[in-house]
Amino acid sequence: MCTEKVLSGKTALVTGGSRGIGRAISLRLAEMGAFVLVNCSSSSDAAQEVLGQINSIGGDGAILCFDVSDHGAVKDAIASAIKEHGPVQVLVNNAGITRDGLLARMKEDDWDRVFQVNLKGAFNCTQAVAMPMMKSRWGRIINIGSVVGAMGNAGQANYAATKAGLEGFTRSLAREFAPRGITVNLVAPGFIETDMTAVLSDKIKDGLLASIPLGRMGSPEDVASAVAFLASDDAGYVTGHTLHVNGGLLCQ
Ligand code: NDP
């Protein structure tokens, strides 16, 4: 575990930082010394708990509630956070949802909503932090994709398309932001134990486990470790990269 305070004096924003993978990332970045803005869209109870944990390990942060899909709300909330806490120099676009269904029966609203949150949300948040981050001439943007962006998955055409889209977004921004000392990478988790996967039936989980060479689902901390590396100076020459964290699922 990276316990050095390599992000001291820097502000980080983790979208969807209140639960699951985002929660683990928020805690890890706080351990690394960052002031962490923990974003959530609905109830702030879970975010409050994360903030409490950050404080209990001697870290600092604040809760920033907004729906990542709402361009105006994102812009306003991030602008006032930057006024108070300085430029966001580490952005983790983690907020994401699923609205699964076979394509033939997928509702238009389920297609649109997944795109609004997973893909447009990343655009909204990245645009809102971009100018001050560029002026500071150091930054880390880490997008959370998914193994299904590379593999595809029946019943997840909308979700997989957003995650594949995030890879193109990542590679384009890596080129665009490199002259300003900003790296842009994507972490693509496999199947991770969170609320998102808790809804899967035991039958589906058993099938998944059989296809994971390391023989277990991942933990949110497995993903947070990859994000911590990409946020650190050790990854200063890594940009436009997709880092798979999936127990070997893609090796099949
Ligand atoms: P969870 O469902 O456990 O948590 C989702 C988080 O995102 C919550 O904090 C939630 O906050 C927030 N969120 C959802 N919608 C919005 C929104 N519109 N605006 C702001 N915040 C929002 O998800 P995971 O931790 O499992 O997933 C995190 C990311 O990792 C997602 O992008 C997901 O696609 C990706 N991923 C997850 C995998 C897994 O197996 N779990 C595998 C591969 C990728 P609130 O409750 O306030 O809405």
Side-chain angles (χ1 to χ4, degrees), residues 16 18-19 21 41-42 67-68 94 145 159 163 190 192 194 196-197:
S18 60
R19 292 190 283 116
I21 292 171
S41 74
S42 50
D67 177 343
V68 294
N94 163 78
Y159 180 77
K163 295 303 186 178
I192 310 296
T194 68
M196 188 180 268
T197 48

Side-chain angles (χ1 to χ4, degrees), residues 15-22 39-43 66-69 94-97 113 117-118 144-147 159 163 189-197:
T15 68
S18 60
R19 292 190 283 116
I21 292 171
N39 160 256
C40 58
S41 74
S42 50
S43 141
F66 56 78
D67 177 343
V68 294
S69 71
N94 163 78
I97 59 166
R113 186 63 190 150
V117 174
N118 296 9
I144 305 299
S146 168
V147 68
Y159 180 77
K163 295 303 186 178
F191 289 91
I192 310 296
E193 284 189 271
T194 68
D195 294 345
M196 188 180 268
T197 48

Side-chain angles (χ1 to χ4, degrees), residues 39-245:
N39 160 256
C40 58
S41 74
S42 50
S43 141
S44 67
D45 287 357
Q48 200 66 56
E49 213 179 295
V50 176
L51 191 57
Q53 279 180 290
I54 287 175
N55 293 151
S56 75
I57 57 166
D60 204 1
I63 295 168
L64 204 56
C65 260
F66 56 78
D67 177 343
V68 294
S69 71
D70 183 337
H71 189 263
V74 169
K75 201 174 155 196
D76 292 347
I78 291 182
S80 59
I82 289 174
K83 224 180 228 172
E84 201 174 336
H85 306 293
V88 171
Q89 287 183 287
V90 180
L91 170 66
V92 185
N93 283 312
N94 163 78
I97 59 166
T98 53
R99 292 254 182 114
D100 298 350
L102 296 175
L103 188 88
R105 284 197 290 264
M106 185 175 286
K107 294 191 183 82
E108 185 184 4
D109 184 54
D110 289 341
W111 178 270
D112 289 344
R113 186 63 190 150
V114 170
F115 268 74
Q116 282 159 6
V117 174
N118 296 9
L119 200 47
K120 190 180 174 214
F123 159 72
N124 288 340
C125 296
T126 305
Q127 193 178 54
V129 305
M131 291 302 277
M133 185 187 275
M134 285 196 275
K135 276 191 195 140
S136 80
R137 303 197 79 82
W138 189 97
R140 297 283 190 263
I141 297 171
I142 300 156
N143 299 314
I144 305 299
S146 168
V147 68
V148 306
M151 285 175 58
N153 198 19
Q156 288 198 309
N158 51 356
Y159 180 77
T162 63
K163 295 303 186 178
L166 278 174
E167 294 201 33
F169 179 72
T170 299
R171 286 193 284 271
S172 300
L173 294 189
R175 292 176 184 277
E176 204 169 306
F177 290 175
R180 309 300 181 110
I182 298 166
T183 65
V184 189
N185 291 289
L186 181 136
V187 172
F191 289 91
I192 310 296
E193 284 189 271
T194 68
D195 294 345
M196 188 180 268
T197 48
V199 294
L200 300 175
S201 69
D202 285 346
K203 195 175 159 207
I204 291 180
K205 279 189 188 161
D206 288 346
L208 282 171
L209 282 176
S211 62
I212 300 172
L214 282 178
R216 66 170 176 90
M217 286 178 74
S219 68
E221 290 72 25
D222 288 324
V223 182
S225 294
V227 171
F229 166 66
L230 291 170
S232 75
D233 282 328
D234 286 343
Y237 201 56
V238 180
T239 196
H241 184 69
T242 294
L243 178 49
H244 288 281
V245 181

